[in-house]
C-alpha cells in the first residue's frame, strides 16, 4: 500500500495562487475531489502527477519526494487529463499499443492487457475503427483505458465522465469502485453524482484551498439543519432565489416547491429535510452568513 502526502502545497502563476497551502494524506481508496471550474482541481492533479513542480510545499510518496523518484514514480501512475490528446487517424487498438510502448510495457503483456481493457470499456467491437469516427463518450473511454494500461497503483482522473451518457457513467462508477480497493484513486469533478456513490473520502476545493474533507456522512452532517423545503407562490419564487441558494425548483400546481439551503428558516412554513451531498456541496461552497454568497 502506498502513501501520498501533500504538505502545504502552493502553486502560483504570476500573482495568482491556483493552489494554496494544500495538505492531505492519501492511501488506498477512492477520493472524490469536488469544486467548481477554476477551483484549482486540475492544477492540483498536475502537481501530483509531477507535470508541474509546486511553488512551495512538498509532495511525498512513501517517504520520498516524487520529483526524486523519476521513472519509479511514473510507473506507479495512471493519468487521464481533462483535455485528452489523441491521434485521429489511429484506431483504438493502435493508439493503445502506442501508449503501451510509451509506458515501456512488453509487447506480450500489452496485447493481453489491451484486450482486457477494450472489453472493460466496451470498445472491443470497434477497436479497428479510427478515433475520428468515435463519439466524445467513446474517446473518453479510450482515455480511461490508456490510464489503466500499466495497472497503476496511483490513478488520477480529471473530469473522467465528461461526455459519457448515463449508462456509461454507471459503468465507469462501477469500474472505479472496484479499482479503489487496492490502490489510490483520485477522481476530480464538478459533478457531485460522480462521486456520491463511490468515493470513500470527499475533498472540496474553493479558490485553490481545501475547504472541507471527510466521508460523505461527515460532509453532509455539517449541513444538517440548513436544508429546507417549502411551497411558495410563483411571484415569491424570484425573491427567494435572489436571496438564498435554491438547489431545486419544481412546479406544483399553482405553487412552486423550492429546496433552499440556508442557515435560517427561509419562510415561515419551510420544513427541514435530509441533506444530500449536492446540498452539502452548495452549502460549503456558496454560503456566507446564511445567505447566498455572490462572490464564488
Amino acid at each position: 500500500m502506498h502513501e501520498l502526502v501533500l504538505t502545504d502545497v502552493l502553486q502560483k502563476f504570476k500573482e495568482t495562487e491556483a493552489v494554496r497551502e494544500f495538505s492531505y494524506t492519501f492511501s488506498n481508496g477512492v477520493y472524490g475531489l469536488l469544486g467548481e471550474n477554476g477551483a484549482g482541481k486540475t492544477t492540483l492533479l498536475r502537481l501530483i502527477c509531477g507535470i508541474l513542480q509546486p511553488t512551495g510545499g512538498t509532495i511525498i510518496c512513501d517517504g520520498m519526494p516524487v520529483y526524486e523518484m523519476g521513472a519509479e514514480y511514473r510507473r506507479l501512475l495512471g493519468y487521464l487529463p481533462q483535455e485528452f490528446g489523441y491521434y485521429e487517424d489511429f484506431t483504438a487498438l493502435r493508439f493503445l499499443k502506442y501508449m503501451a510502448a510509451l509506458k515501456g510495457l512488453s509487447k506480450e503483456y500489452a496485447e493481453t492487457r489491451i484486450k482486457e481493457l477494450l472489453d472493460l470499456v466496451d470498445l472491443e467491437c470497434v477497436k479497428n475503427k479510427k478515433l475520428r469516427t468515435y463519439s466524445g463518450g467513446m474517446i473518453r473511454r479510450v482515455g480511461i483505458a490508456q490510464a489503466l494500461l500499466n495497472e497503476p497503483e496511483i490513478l488520477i482522473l480529471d473530469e473522467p465522465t465528461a461526455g459519457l451518457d448515463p449508462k456509461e457513467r454507471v459503468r465507469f462508477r462501477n469500474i472505479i469502485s472496484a479499482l479503489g480497493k487496492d490502490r489510490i484513486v483520485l477522481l476530480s469533478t464538478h459533478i457531485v453524482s460522480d462521486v456520491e456513490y463511490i468515493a470513500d473520502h470527499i475533498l472540496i476545493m474553493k479558490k485553490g484551498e481545501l475547504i472541507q474533507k471527510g466521508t460523505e456522512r461527515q460532509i453532509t452532517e455539517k449541513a444538517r439543519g440548513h436544508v429546507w423545503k417549502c411551497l411558495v407562490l410563483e411571484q415569491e419564487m424570484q425573491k427567494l432565489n435572489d436571496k438564498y441558494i435554491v438547489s431545486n425548483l419544481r412546479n406544483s400546481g399553482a405553487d412552486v416547491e423550492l429546496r433552499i439551503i440556508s442557515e435560517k428558516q427561509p419562510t415561515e412554513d419551510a420544513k427541514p429535510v435530509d441533506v444530500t451531498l449536492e446540498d452539502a456541496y452548495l452549502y460549503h461552497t456558496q454560503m456566507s452568513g446564511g445567505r447566498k454568497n455572490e462572490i464564488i
Side-chain angles (χ1 to χ4, degrees):
M1 183 175 74
H2 298 284
E3 186 176 73
L4 193 61
V5 181
L6 281 67
T7 305
D8 295 330
V9 172
L10 171 70
Q11 182 63 46
K12 293 182 70 174
F13 298 110
K14 295 183 178 179
E15 299 304 315
T16 301
E17 292 183 340
V19 175
R20 187 181 308 166
E21 295 181 352
F22 193 105
S23 296
Y24 196 79
T25 298
F26 299 91
S27 54
N28 284 4
V30 178
Y31 297 81
L33 180 62
L34 292 173
E36 61 180 3
N37 292 331
K41 305 186 305 298
T42 293
T43 300
L44 178 69
L45 298 191
R46 288 169 66 86
L47 287 164
I48 291 173
C49 290
I51 297 169
L52 296 173
Q53 290 200 21
T55 308
T58 58
I59 302 175
I60 306 292
C61 181
D62 300 336
M64 183 178 294
V66 297
Y67 307 107
E68 296 179 9
M69 295 178 67
E72 174 60 20
Y73 185 62
R74 291 192 296 274
R75 185 190 65 79
L76 299 176
L77 280 175
Y79 176 45
L80 174 61
Q82 186 174 7
E83 299 295 332
F84 171 55
Y86 59 94
Y87 297 104
E88 292 186 342
D89 286 332
F90 279 24
T91 64
L93 180 59
R94 183 183 176 193
F95 179 75
L96 290 175
K97 286 183 176 180
Y98 169 72
M99 294 301 297
L102 290 182
K103 292 173 184 278
L105 306 180
S106 72
K107 184 177 179 180
E108 295 76 14
Y109 173 82
E111 287 181 357
T112 302
R113 183 63 175 158
I114 288 169
K115 187 179 186 317
E116 291 174 355
L117 292 171
L118 286 170
D119 286 333
L120 184 69
V121 298
D122 197 23
L123 291 175
E124 172 66 28
C125 61
V126 291
K127 66 183 179 182
N128 292 315
K129 291 189 175 182
K130 292 190 175 181
L131 295 179
R132 66 164 173 257
T133 68
Y134 278 25
S135 68
M138 292 167 74
I139 291 294
R140 210 65 189 155
R141 282 186 271 158
V142 173
I144 292 167
Q146 68 80 29
L148 294 171
L149 273 170
N150 58 325
E151 297 192 69
E153 295 172 67
I154 302 173
L155 181 59
I156 308 296
L157 304 167
D158 194 357
E159 301 286 355
T161 60
L164 301 187
D165 64 30
K167 180 181 177 182
E168 291 172 325
R169 296 173 85 92
V170 171
R171 175 195 291 271
F172 171 77
R173 288 202 299 260
N174 291 340
I175 291 170
I176 295 306
S177 183
L179 289 172
K181 294 178 182 178
D182 56 1
R183 73 197 75 203
I184 296 170
V185 180
L186 179 51
L187 162 63
S188 166
T189 184
H190 64 281
I191 303 171
V192 176
S193 60
D194 279 354
V195 300
E196 188 168 13
Y197 299 107
I198 62 169
D200 303 303
H201 311 276
I202 294 166
L203 295 79
I204 300 177
M205 288 186 73
K206 179 178 178 180
K207 295 182 179 179
E209 293 186 1
L210 178 62
I211 62 168
Q212 291 293 329
K213 59 184 177 181
T215 63
E216 180 189 2
R217 188 169 186 174
Q218 290 169 333
I219 296 289
T220 55
E221 185 62 33
K222 293 177 183 179
R224 189 169 302 280
H226 304 308
V227 184
W228 312 82
K229 186 178 286 187
C230 60
L231 277 175
V232 300
L233 297 173
E234 189 172 346
Q235 55 265 37
E236 296 177 63
M237 176 192 67
Q238 191 58 52
K239 292 180 180 178
L240 289 170
N241 191 52
D242 291 341
K243 185 175 181 181
Y244 299 104
I245 298 168
V246 176
S247 64
N248 194 48
L249 180 154
R250 181 188 303 168
N251 288 316
S252 180
D255 298 324
V256 180
E257 182 183 89
L258 299 179
R259 188 179 185 90
I260 293 176
I261 299 169
S262 170
E263 292 180 346
K264 300 177 181 179
Q265 187 179 27
T267 66
E268 288 186 4
D269 62 343
K271 305 295 183 185
V273 293
D274 290 339
V275 181
T276 67
L277 182 58
E278 185 173 68
D279 294 327
Y281 169 71
L282 292 171
Y283 173 78
H284 292 305
T285 59
Q286 298 190 28
M287 290 293 295
S288 178
R291 297 194 176 193
K292 182 186 293 187
N293 182 356
E294 300 294 352
I295 305 173
I296 300 171

